[in-house]
């Protein structure tokens, strides 16, 4: 009986220890997932402040999971506490919109639309990380990012100009590669980019859908510059141009006639051409068609590149792939 009792207690203890250990492992995994989710939409310094606030509130028994973290209170009510917001006096904002996307997406299946957007935006994210540019959000087909925030840097305009030049070149390559699956007119899509430098109010806007957002006249001006720009070009304000000149890159700038912007009046603006960036980014791509040489098969003499791509797409000359 003593031996049986001992074995029973040992078995119960073993089961309890196993359950506790698994529960702790699950808590660690969930904490890592929560941290990753928070890091994906807020800068690191605000992430730490958010997690500290949540830890304090959870210790008081007010909040207990990620759902309440992303939805602070019932019915969209904002949790008590000081708003997490800061004023950044000097940064450069960029709006990059896909020109021609509305017409293109209207004749595509949803999966094709998301294939394009995911391919492009993931490529932009990698370049942004390398350039230390912070991605704020995507609004439809518009990619919104900022340099000089949350980590201040003196060369934010230079960094953003180089980032813009690289994503322009990268998009040209990716859209031509995607023509094999999404249609030849995919390669006709282009980015239209606007840049502006100035102060920005940035913070975590809490509510039903907690988000990190930017506010201020700098955002409005940047949107106007983007909408009044041209396909495949970077359109920038005088404030950003002054910053570029300050760092000795005035040769990148091309003066443009003053533009009338809604709510802004006449704006002095410039085109930005970062010399050498496009050449380095597309060195492995055919200079005529801007597509990998191995993707398409034989060409038809006397026809332009677009017509040849259309022929390939319709199967008269099946693509020759070597992967």
């Amino acid at each position: 009986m003593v031996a049986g009792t001992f074995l029973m207690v040992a078995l119960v203890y073993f089961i309890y220890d196993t359950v506790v250990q698994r529960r702790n492992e699950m808590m660690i995994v969930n904490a890592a997932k929560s941290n990753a989710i928070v890091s994906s939409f807020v800068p690191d310094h605000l992430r730490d402040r958010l997690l500290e606030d949540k830890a304090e509130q959870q210790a008081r028994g007010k909040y207990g999971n990620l759902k309440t973290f992303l939805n602070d209170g019932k019915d969209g009510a904002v949790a008590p506490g000081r708003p997490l917001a800061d004023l950044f006096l000097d940064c450069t904002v960029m709006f990059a919109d896909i020109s021609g996307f509305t017409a293109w997406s209207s004749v595509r299946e949803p999966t094709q639309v998301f294939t394009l957007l995911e391919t492009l935006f993931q490529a932009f994210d990698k370049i942004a990380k390398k350039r230390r540019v912070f991605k704020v959000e995507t609004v439809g087909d518009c990619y919104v990012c900022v340099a000089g925030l949350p980590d201040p840097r003196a060369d934010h305009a230079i960094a953003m100009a180089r980032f813009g030049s690289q994503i322009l070149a990268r998009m040209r390559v990716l859209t031509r590669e995607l023509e094999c699956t999404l249609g030849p007119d995919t390669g006709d899509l282009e980015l239209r980019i606007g840049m502006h430098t100035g102060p920005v109010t940035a913070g975590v806007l809490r509510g039903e859908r907690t988000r990190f957002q930017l506010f201020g006249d700098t955002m409005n001006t940047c949107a106007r510059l983007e909408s009044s720009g041209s396909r495949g070009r970077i359109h920038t304000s005088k404030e950003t141009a002054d910053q570029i000149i300050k760092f000795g890159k005035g040769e990148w700038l091309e003066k443009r006639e003053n533009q009338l912007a809604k709510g802004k009046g006449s704006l002095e603006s410039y085109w930005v051409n970062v010399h050498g960036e496009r050449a380095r980014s597309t060195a492995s791509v055919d200079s005529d068609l801007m597509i990998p040489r191995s993707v398409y098969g034989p060409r038809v003499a006397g026809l332009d590149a677009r017509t040849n791509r259309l022929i390939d797409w319709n199967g008269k000359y099946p693509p020759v792939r070597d992967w």
Side-chain angles (χ1 to χ4, degrees):
M1 290 178 64
V2 172
T5 303
F6 177 79
L7 290 174
M8 181 71 70
V9 172
L11 180 62
V12 171
Y13 178 79
F14 175 77
I15 294 174
Y16 175 77
D17 183 66
T18 302
V19 171
V20 171
Q21 185 176 358
R22 288 184 179 179
R23 184 177 176 224
N24 290 338
E25 290 175 352
M26 289 179 62
M27 290 177 63
I28 293 173
V29 171
N30 289 334
K33 290 180 179 178
S34 299
N35 191 37
I37 292 173
V38 176
S39 299
S40 68
F41 68 85
V42 297
D44 292 343
H45 75 291
L46 288 180
R47 176 202 63 196
D48 296 337
R49 287 166 60 183
L50 278 170
L51 294 177
E52 288 173 3
D53 289 347
K54 288 301 171 185
E56 182 180 348
Q57 292 166 353
Q58 187 173 355
R60 295 200 299 262
K62 291 186 176 182
Y63 299 90
N65 53 39
L66 181 61
K67 181 178 179 180
T68 55
F69 176 87
L70 295 175
N71 183 3
D72 294 329
K74 297 179 180 179
D75 300 324
V78 178
R82 185 171 178 268
L84 300 178
D86 294 294
L87 175 63
F88 295 85
L89 296 175
D90 197 20
C91 58
T92 299
V93 179
M94 171 184 286
F95 280 53
D97 188 76
I98 303 177
S99 178
F101 176 80
T102 301
W104 179 89
S105 62
S106 64
V107 293
R108 292 298 189 283
E109 296 179 359
T111 54
Q112 293 178 311
V113 173
F114 274 76
T115 296
L116 174 74
L117 294 178
E118 287 180 351
T119 301
L120 294 178
F121 290 163
Q122 287 176 12
F124 297 171
D125 290 344
K126 291 179 181 179
I127 300 174
K129 185 176 181 179
K130 179 180 178 181
R131 288 288 179 191
R132 292 193 298 131
V133 170
F134 183 80
K135 174 187 175 181
V136 180
E137 61 181 341
T138 55
V139 183
D141 61 313
C142 185
Y143 191 93
V144 183
C145 55
V146 60
L149 177 164
D151 299 320
R153 55 186 299 182
D155 64 339
H156 48 82
I158 296 293
M160 189 61 86
R162 284 180 168 144
F163 172 73
S165 179
Q166 284 190 317
I167 65 174
L168 278 174
R170 187 63 181 149
M171 177 167 175
R172 293 188 181 106
V173 174
L174 290 175
T175 52
R176 295 306 170 94
E177 290 177 349
L178 288 171
E179 285 186 331
C180 293
T181 56
L182 302 182
D185 52 343
T186 305
D188 297 329
L189 298 173
E190 284 273 15
L191 280 181
R192 185 176 59 239
I193 295 178
M195 290 170 42
H196 181 55
T197 299
V200 167
T201 298
V204 177
L205 190 62
R206 296 173 293 185
E208 284 197 27
R209 295 292 182 270
T210 298
R211 297 169 64 189
F212 177 77
Q213 291 190 313
L214 307 183
F215 299 94
D217 187 65
T218 299
M219 300 295 290
N220 297 332
T221 304
C222 186
R224 299 291 182 266
L225 288 164
E226 179 272 315
S227 61
S228 61
S230 295
R231 291 166 49 92
R233 306 198 72 177
I234 303 173
H235 190 208
T236 190
S237 64
K238 183 180 184 302
E239 289 78 4
T240 305
D242 289 341
Q243 289 290 323
I244 292 175
I245 294 172
K246 178 181 176 181
F247 280 83
K249 298 294 183 180
E251 68 275 9
W252 290 358
L253 302 172
E254 177 186 342
K255 183 72 170 63
R256 189 188 186 191
E257 294 182 2
N258 288 10
Q259 299 296 304
L260 287 177
K262 182 180 178 181
K264 297 294 176 184
S266 180
L267 290 178
E268 183 178 348
S269 61
Y270 297 78
W271 298 118
V272 179
N273 181 20
V274 181
H275 303 307
E277 294 292 338
R278 177 176 173 180
R280 285 197 299 269
S281 301
T282 59
S284 62
V285 179
D286 189 284
S287 60
D288 179 28
L289 300 178
M290 290 291 290
I291 56 176
R293 294 185 179 90
S294 62
V295 171
Y296 288 113
R299 320 312 301 169
V300 179
L303 298 180
D304 57 42
R306 179 183 172 85
T307 304
N308 268 306
R309 298 200 307 270
L310 186 60
I311 292 173
D312 292 332
W313 172 252
N314 282 286
K316 294 182 180 179
Y317 293 92
V320 177
R321 299 179 177 84
D322 55 6
W323 58 75

